[in-house]
Amino acid sequence: MQDQSVTQEIDAIIAKVDDWRGDALSRLRKLIIEAAPDIIEEVKWKKPSRPEGVPVWSSYGTVCVGETLKSAVRLTFPKGAHVKDPTKLFNIRLDSKSVRAIDFHEGDPIDAAALQALIREAAKLNVL
């Protein structure tokens, strides 16, 4: 069962970003939760430069991390290099031996089905 205080923390992180990035992160969050219903939301890495922390979605380990950047919303997959990406959603950190990420920019379409397939694949890696 999801901790309501964590849900509220992530709600606050999203609400703090009052432009398209907040809307995008909210939509991505919904897609992540729909893709893997057993996924757990967490807030990690609270530090002076980001006191509210960063939303993290886990299932037997981190599946992905959501961040708002100046001109993008980034989903980072710690094991992304091992995730099948037939639709080529990953567009950042492509040279890493482990991590892959997707930057979404204002106006970018979100391929919900392809993203949810990545989420499910990434979650499966944590139990193998």
Side-chain angles (χ1 to χ4, degrees):
M1 172 158 246
Q2 183 64 49
D3 182 340
Q4 280 304 109
S5 65
V6 172
T7 299
Q8 291 169 346
E9 280 185 81
I10 294 176
D11 289 344
I13 290 168
I14 291 170
K16 184 176 175 186
V17 184
D18 62 355
D19 60 16
W20 71 269
R21 297 170 302 153
D23 294 337
L25 185 56
S26 179
R27 178 151 185 244
L28 293 168
R29 177 191 194 188
K30 184 175 186 271
L31 291 171
I32 292 164
I33 292 167
E34 286 174 0
D38 65 333
I39 209 154
I40 302 292
E41 292 188 303
E42 302 175 272
V43 176
K44 294 186 176 181
W45 306 301
K46 293 180 182 185
K47 54 188 179 182
S49 62
R50 198 181 285 249
E52 68 279 5
V54 178
V56 176
W57 291 275
S58 300
S59 180
Y60 301 99
T62 301
V63 174
C64 65
V65 177
E67 298 178 85
T68 55
L69 308 174
K70 286 184 181 180
S71 63
V73 174
R74 178 173 291 167
L75 287 184
T76 302
F77 293 75
K79 295 181 180 179
H82 307 287
V83 174
K84 294 176 189 137
D85 182 21
T87 59
K88 306 285 188 241
L89 289 181
F90 291 129
N91 58 16
I92 298 293
R93 312 254 336 241
L94 300 177
D95 294 333
S96 171
K97 292 188 188 315
S98 58
V99 177
R100 294 283 185 276
I102 307 167
D103 276 4
F104 297 91
H105 298 92
E106 187 171 15
D108 283 354
I110 297 173
D111 184 337
L115 178 61
Q116 288 182 320
L118 281 182
I119 297 296
R120 286 189 288 275
E121 182 83 16
K124 269 197 274 183
L125 287 175
N126 288 338
V127 292
L128 295 177

